[in-house]
Amino acid sequence: MPVWLRVRCGMEPKTLVALCLVLLVGLGFAVHHFWTGRPQGVPVPGVSGPSGAPDAATARPGESGGPSTAPVAGGAAPSGGLVVDVSGKVREPGLQRLPGGSRVADALEAAGGLRKGADTEGLNQARLLVDGEQIVVGEPGRSRTAGSAAPGGGAPGPAGAGGPSGAMVSLNSATREQLETLPGVGPVLAQHIVDYRTQHGGFRSVDQLKEVNGIGEKRFADIQPQVTP
């Protein structure tokens, strides 16, 4: 070591070496402390039930023991779906669950199709379905759709068959010509009824007739006893 450096710093060579060793040891301790003190992820143990299987409350959908998302037979339809009752001359009559926007033809297909000899006259298979309605496929002239029983507790009559026999007219399946058989309903008003059911996906109740352009309270009172949804 130069003499001028020893005079200026007042240190012997071995003192300087010892100081360097102390600094190296301190640096090593600092690196070790930093490395061992860094944050580390800790795995969370899974929660097990009494049998060792994943607990139902923590299991993900679709795994064993987890909550199921499949619809339960006999329960309500999935959100956005429809439930309709198909009866009469079909292969598998009963409740049918269909996606929203389905038509009468889709309900007949879900019921296994038509049986031999079934008549679909008066049954509009292109009509959009309404949740909760009933579709009846019967003998010639008896096919119809209905949403509820006729006033007075009697069953609705054949669809679109109006006239002196007292049969009910289905607002959801009757043709324009069949609607014209109702009291006070001409070609223009019959077309308004057809347009309304097309725009709104059918009639859910007879009271919706009041919303059709051209039907006031008096005319509604004349028509109401002769129609079903």
Side-chain angles (χ1 to χ4, degrees):
M1 179 180 295
V3 177
W4 64 269
L5 181 60
R6 284 185 292 174
V7 172
R8 184 174 181 86
C9 298
M11 291 188 298
E12 292 295 330
K14 54 184 177 182
T15 305
L16 182 59
V17 172
L19 179 60
C20 291
L21 290 175
V22 171
L23 291 176
L24 288 174
V25 173
L27 180 61
F29 275 110
V31 171
H32 180 267
H33 180 74
F34 172 79
W35 182 256
T36 57
R38 74 187 191 282
Q40 297 180 356
V42 179
V44 179
V47 181
S48 300
S51 63
D55 187 57
T58 59
R60 286 176 291 182
E63 294 182 350
S64 177
S68 174
T69 57
V72 180
S79 177
L82 301 170
V83 177
V84 295
D85 181 15
V86 184
S87 61
K89 302 196 74 173
V90 291
R91 291 188 174 88
E92 299 176 9
L95 294 180
Q96 305 298 334
R97 290 166 176 80
L98 301 166
S102 298
R103 299 179 184 271
V104 173
D106 298 322
L108 298 180
E109 182 179 355
L114 300 173
R115 291 166 53 192
K116 185 177 180 180
D119 182 72
T120 58
E121 182 180 356
L123 185 64
N124 182 6
Q125 297 190 46
R127 181 179 60 77
L128 290 171
L129 293 172
V130 179
D131 184 45
E133 74 172 282
Q134 182 186 45
I135 303 172
V136 180
V137 182
E139 301 296 337
R142 295 185 59 192
S143 297
R144 63 175 173 84
T145 60
S148 60
S165 64
M168 309 295 287
V169 174
S170 171
L171 296 173
N172 285 325
S173 62
T175 64
R176 189 177 65 178
E177 290 75 16
Q178 292 166 340
L179 292 171
E180 291 177 20
T181 63
L182 297 170
V185 177
V188 175
L189 187 53
Q191 185 60 50
H192 287 171
I193 296 174
V194 172
D195 292 342
Y196 180 90
R197 77 185 181 195
T198 301
Q199 295 169 4
H200 295 80
F203 288 86
R204 291 177 175 79
S205 68
V206 175
D207 289 340
Q208 286 183 286
L209 266 179
K210 298 177 183 178
E211 302 174 13
V212 176
N213 184 24
I215 298 183
E217 292 292 338
K218 184 178 184 304
R219 184 165 295 173
F220 174 75
D222 295 336
I223 298 175
Q224 182 183 20
Q226 301 187 30
V227 295
T228 65

